[in-house]
Each structure stands twice: as C-alpha cells, then as structure tokens.
Amino acid sequence: MQKICVIGGSRYFGKLLVERLQAAGHEVTVINRGSTRPPAGVEHLVVDRNDEAALIAALGTRTFDVVVDQVCYTPVQAAIAVRAFASRARRYVMTSTIEVYDPATAVLPAVPAGTPVAEENVDPATWLVAMDLPWHDDAYLEAHYAEGKRQAEAVFTRAGGFAFTGVRSAHVLGGGGREFTGRLAHYVERITRGEEIAVHANALPTVFIHYQELAQLLAWAAAADFTGAVNACSDGRLDVHDLASVVAAQAGREPVYRSVPAGEEASPFSFDRHYAMSNTRARALGFAFSHTCDWLPGAVAEALTAEPSPTA
C-alpha cells in the first residue's frame, strides 16, 4: 500500500485512476476545487492548487509516497507544486501531452515523417522557462497549451526534492460521453449526418490511447522508479481517414471530405505536420500496450450511443 495524492482526478481517465488506485489498496488523497467529490473512502482536500498558501495549509503535515498531477498546465503551477511537495513526496508524476512535440508550437529538432518521435526530442532539462508570461490569462494559456506543458516539465525536472516523471499522453479516446473534448463525437456526428469533414490534402498519421489504458499507465508510472519523460500511446498510427473509416463502418455511412488549403484549420486529428510518438521507452521499462485497432471500434460504438456532445 502506498499513500498517493492525485491533483485533479475528478473526470475521465483521472477519475478512473483514482478508482483503480483505491481498488488496489492504496491510501488515496484527491485535491481539487470541490466541484466533484471523489469515491467514498478517498480523502478529499478542497483547495485551489494555484493558491500556494492555501495549498500548503490544506496539506498540513501530510506526506505521500507519490503525487500524480493531472492538471498542471504552466510553469507557475509547477513551481507552486515543487515548493508545496518537495518535503512531502518521494515521487511526482505529471500528466503531460503529445502536444509538446508539435513543431508548430516551438523550434524543435526536425523528425522525418514516418519516424516515431522519441522523448529526447524535447528535453525539459534544457528548456527555457519564463515565469513572467501571462500564464494566468485563460486565452493565453489555451493558445500556448503545448508550451505551458513543456515549461511545467522543465520546472519539475530541475527542481530536485523528489523523483520526477512526465507522462506524455497521446490523444485520448473512449468512454462515450465521458470523453469531454468531443473530438471523437465530432466524427460520429458528422458522418452519421452526412456532413463534410475538413481534412488536410496530405493528412499525416498520429497516435492515440484509450482512456482506460492511460489510467493503467499512470498507475504503473506511480509505482515505478524510473525518471524522465515517457510517451504513452497505443501501438499503431492512424490518420484522419483511418479514423473516419472505422466510424463509417459502424455508422453505415460513407464519410464526406473537404480538403482545406494549407494553413487553414481542419477537423480534430487531421495533421499537416508530423509528431506521432514512439512508445519504445515505456515498452522497454515494462509496460505492455494494446493496439489502437483493438479498442477503437468499441470506443466508436460508445460514441454512437452517447448523447451528442455540445463541444463537437
């Protein structure tokens, strides 16, 4: 049994992670702002993680074997967490994202199309951190999501005080209405209605992970002793046409595509640049991934029976 603190963990794979940690016999504490209560038997600290004094006061004398941070988006939040947990935690796991590799958001080493991107392509130990950027502005943060994650990883990597791992998640699917981004629902709804799907003329493949598999991987990372970034993606790359064909097969409708000019925004998961990740490191460390084609039909079936997403 470990004492594990989960920051966030109120929805989707974060909620599932909390449930799995509790079921495995761990002593779990959830920190959030109180909008959603954790399962019975899980300690709940209601506090805004951005309020450093309140966070430290809420933690009191508690210590943890592991902290799993589901909702760290900026270097400012990371720095607060470092100060709050450096003497309270042995290990810190941050949920990061495939978007740290997006070449449209930073000057990154070039990766040939078709070559899976490895963790060393973004080294948080060398990444510039700028605390004085307007990270508290929601519009700025949304526009600089990838950079916020890169800089947050950099703060944790350099901090010391605990072992740190950044789990860089692929695009997460599955769960029907629980998949709150509405990205899979976008395809389900457009294809079933016969509406156009905007795609790039030369759409490149990307990688995905099922929300249950990501929860499993985060629990595995919490119990492990490795450090540094680790990519989290199921085997098998798919492009937007591959994804749409799986939806179409179950919806009984042919997808209708509209090619967008270079530089114009397309539908989710249509990419005109390459940054599909490699999961080689996680495999070498002992995690066994599923293949995307094994679970995607089930995820589509859930989306087909879910209520329409207001964000799709």
Side-chain angles (χ1 to χ4, degrees):
M1 183 184 74
Q2 290 188 311
K3 295 173 66 177
I4 301 177
C5 175
V6 178
I7 305 176
S10 61
R11 60 180 179 175
Y12 206 28
F13 61 85
K15 181 179 180 182
L16 183 58
L17 170 65
V18 170
E19 293 170 351
R20 290 192 173 191
L21 291 174
Q22 184 187 33
H26 299 299
E27 183 179 331
V28 183
T29 297
V30 166
I31 293 176
N32 63 30
R33 290 178 293 184
S35 58
T36 305
R37 292 194 59 82
V42 171
E43 183 182 37
H44 189 198
L45 300 182
V46 179
V47 64
D48 184 346
R49 57 103 35 87
N50 298 303
D51 186 334
E52 183 172 349
L55 175 60
I56 291 173
L59 290 170
T61 60
R62 293 173 180 83
T63 60
F64 305 98
D65 296 296
V66 189
V67 176
V68 183
D69 194 340
Q70 297 282 77
V71 289
C72 187
Y73 302 107
T74 74
V76 175
Q77 291 176 325
I80 290 172
V82 166
R83 291 189 291 269
F85 289 99
S87 61
R88 290 183 171 89
R90 174 185 59 81
R91 179 170 178 78
Y92 204 102
V93 178
M94 171 192 157
T95 303
S96 190
T97 173
I98 185 177
E99 301 304 332
V100 301
Y101 300 117
D102 186 352
T105 63
V107 178
L108 299 171
V111 178
T115 302
V117 182
E119 289 84 355
E120 55 264 28
N121 217 55
V122 173
D123 182 1
T126 63
W127 203 261
L128 178 67
V129 173
M131 294 287 190
D132 57 348
L133 295 173
W135 294 115
H136 296 293
D137 180 89
D138 289 342
Y140 181 88
L141 180 56
E142 182 177 359
H144 296 83
Y145 171 72
E147 182 61 16
K149 287 289 192 178
R150 283 187 289 258
Q151 291 195 26
E153 284 191 42
V155 170
F156 283 123
T157 298
R158 298 169 193 170
F162 43 61
F164 172 68
T165 293
V167 174
R168 295 171 177 171
S169 170
H171 308 292
V172 188
L173 297 178
R178 284 167 288 187
E179 197 271 289
F180 62 91
T181 68
R183 294 176 297 183
L184 184 56
H186 171 91
Y187 292 96
V188 167
E189 291 168 15
R190 284 190 170 271
I191 290 172
T192 55
R193 294 171 184 168
E195 298 174 354
E196 289 183 336
I197 300 169
V199 298
H200 295 100
N202 181 30
L204 297 175
T206 188
V207 286
F208 299 91
I209 191 166
H210 193 270
Y211 82 107
Q212 293 179 351
E213 187 165 38
L214 182 54
Q216 179 186 355
L217 188 143
L218 287 165
W220 167 77
D225 59 4
F226 62 84
T227 59
V230 64
N231 293 338
C233 58
S234 301
D235 293 336
R237 294 178 297 150
L238 301 177
D239 65 26
V240 63
H241 299 94
D242 299 324
L243 177 66
S245 69
V246 176
V247 176
Q250 295 195 48
R253 298 288 298 270
E254 286 298 315
V256 179
Y257 299 109
R258 175 178 62 85
S259 292
V260 300
E264 184 177 320
E265 186 175 358
S267 60
F269 310 133
S270 180
F271 297 100
D272 58 358
R273 55 203 184 275
H274 168 70
Y275 57 107
M277 299 188 300
S278 165
N279 63 17
T280 299
R281 183 174 192 235
R283 280 192 170 282
L285 289 167
F287 190 83
F289 288 98
S290 67
H291 196 286
T292 303
C293 292
D294 291 337
W295 56 258
L296 183 56
V300 169
E302 288 179 306
L304 280 165
T305 58
E307 291 294 323
S309 169
T311 61

